[in-house]
Amino acid sequence: MHLPNSSEIEITTFFLVGMPGLEHAHVWISVPICLMYLVAILGNCTILFVIRTEPSLHAPMYYFLSMLALSDLGLSFSSLPTMLRIFVFNATGISPNACFAQEFFIHGFTDMESSVLLVMSFDRFLAIRNPLRYSSILTSARVAKMGLVFLIKSMLLVLPFPFTLKRLTYCRKSLLSHSYCLHQDVRKLACSDNTVNFFYGFFLALCMMSESVLIAVSYVFILKMVMGIGSHRQQLKALNTCVSHICAVLIFYVPIIALASMHRFGKHESPVAMILIADAFLLVPPLMNPIVYCVKTQQIRQKVLEKLGL
């Protein structure tokens, strides 16, 4: 009778990781994590509510901010289930189908946030270059269409991910590297040919990289225009309108670049450090974006304080 080799038995459960070596403290670690999720969700919902209910904020800049808040909420709700299961209930197992669904939403909302940050840089460029025609160029209808295009584009780009992962065979390894599922992480567990997954993942990474390059280029043009303004006071005023967006770009891209660098060059780095960066990639942008925009954008800050009765 032929006994199947262990390498031929297909994996039916993947295992996520919390904090290696600190499993006994997962319940305590869950407290700040839950607080961060709570603040992120309340903060982004507050931004959406204030923009929705205040006619004075019905302008392109704030519509794009609403899209950013929706992307942040999507990222938060995509990673929340597994993070809570790991740190609160110490349950690390996840079925392949649930894992594929999670990575679809995480990558989809990540791509959408990248696209929104790109168009927000174009918004700032247009507001500084042609302020008189700004509102007539970026009408509410055009902004709504752009938002719909971003959503469809992001979902279509990552749609192949779960299907290409599902066709792979997983028979040797089942331990993932993070507290949630990512395409590149799951792909590495396959014991069948994953060339298609590798090249498509590389293509999507190039798309996001090109958006970050375009954001940088847009700010080169913005700085060039600002330097051409005669008054130093006007220069500072023009640059001040970009500070919140620059912070949002750094908050979003720095963890991604750090995580990609650690995966590529930090093979012997501490796994705890890699997991912290990976968790920051999903936790920090949704947490910090509402805070940054409330602190740095006077109109948002005033309306939020009014709603709170302060």
Side-chain angles (χ1 to χ4, degrees):
M1 181 177 178
H2 171 69
L3 292 176
N5 189 295
S6 60
S7 64
E8 296 173 358
I9 301 174
E10 189 167 354
I11 298 296
T12 56
T13 303
F14 294 141
F15 293 95
L16 301 163
V17 294
M19 291 292 174
L22 297 174
E23 287 81 4
H24 60 282
H26 273 182
V27 173
W28 296 108
I29 296 172
S30 71
V31 175
I33 289 176
C34 289
L35 285 174
M36 290 173 75
Y37 271 114
L38 182 62
V39 172
I41 292 168
L42 287 177
N44 284 291
C45 286
T46 300
I47 292 286
L48 290 171
F49 174 74
V50 169
I51 292 174
R52 174 70 180 83
T53 56
E54 286 295 332
S56 62
L57 299 181
H58 293 178
M61 173 183 171
Y62 303 109
Y63 290 145
F64 290 131
L65 180 56
S66 297
M67 295 179 199
L68 188 67
L70 286 171
S71 302
D72 284 334
L73 283 173
L75 280 176
S76 294
F77 285 120
S78 297
S79 60
L80 181 61
T82 53
M83 296 281 271
L84 288 183
R85 289 181 73 243
I86 291 169
F87 290 104
V88 178
F89 304 107
N90 205 30
T92 59
I94 184 171
S95 69
N97 286 337
C99 189
F100 301 155
Q102 185 183 50
E103 61 88 24
F104 167 76
F105 286 110
I106 287 176
H107 286 292
F109 284 113
T110 300
D111 183 80
M112 183 174 173
E113 181 147 346
S114 178
S115 298
V116 171
L117 288 172
L118 172 60
V119 79
M120 288 176 84
S121 68
F122 171 73
D123 168 77
R124 293 299 82 211
F125 171 78
L126 191 61
I128 294 172
R129 184 177 186 275
N130 206 339
L132 298 179
R133 295 187 58 204
Y134 171 69
S135 298
S136 62
I137 295 173
L138 287 178
T139 61
S140 298
R142 284 176 181 167
V143 171
K145 289 176 183 176
M146 291 169 76
L148 185 61
V149 168
F150 293 152
L151 178 62
I152 294 173
K153 185 268 292 183
S154 298
M155 294 304 141
L156 286 179
L157 265 180
V158 300
L159 187 60
F161 275 175
F163 296 105
T164 55
L165 287 174
K166 193 174 178 64
R167 72 177 182 82
L168 299 176
T169 304
Y170 306 91
C171 54
R172 294 190 187 94
K173 298 179 288 184
S174 60
L175 184 64
L176 295 164
S177 306
H178 306 302
S179 306
Y180 49 86
C181 296
L182 290 177
H183 174 263
Q184 61 270 30
D185 206 15
V186 178
R187 174 182 62 79
K188 292 176 182 177
L189 299 183
C191 53
S192 56
D193 182 36
N194 60 13
T195 305
V196 173
N197 300 72
F198 172 80
F199 281 109
Y200 193 76
F202 183 68
F203 165 73
L204 190 62
L206 283 179
C207 290
M208 285 192 62
M209 191 184 301
S210 66
E211 288 178 338
S212 65
V213 170
L214 289 173
I215 291 172
V217 169
S218 70
Y219 270 101
V220 170
F221 284 108
I222 287 172
L223 284 173
K224 186 177 179 181
M225 284 187 299
V226 169
M227 291 301 104
I229 299 175
S231 168
H232 181 67
R233 185 176 178 180
Q234 288 180 326
Q235 288 178 350
L236 291 176
K237 185 178 179 180
L239 285 175
N240 193 50
T241 63
C242 303
V243 170
S244 299
H245 179 256
I246 292 171
C247 291
V249 169
L250 293 175
I251 288 167
F252 179 73
Y253 280 106
V254 168
I256 291 179
I257 294 170
L259 185 60
S261 300
M262 291 180 77
H263 270 291
R264 179 66 182 87
F265 304 108
K267 301 297 183 183
H268 304 293
E269 292 289 339
S270 165
V272 174
M274 191 171 289
I275 288 168
L276 283 173
I277 294 294
D279 290 346
F281 156 57
L282 289 188
L283 281 170
V284 174
L287 173 70
M288 292 304 299
N289 284 339
I291 296 173
V292 167
Y293 274 93
C294 282
V295 170
K296 295 301 299 178
T297 307
Q298 184 180 359
Q299 295 88 335
I300 294 286
R301 184 173 65 252
Q302 287 178 343
K303 297 303 179 183
V304 169
L305 291 176
E306 285 178 15
K307 295 294 182 184
L308 295 174
L310 299 176

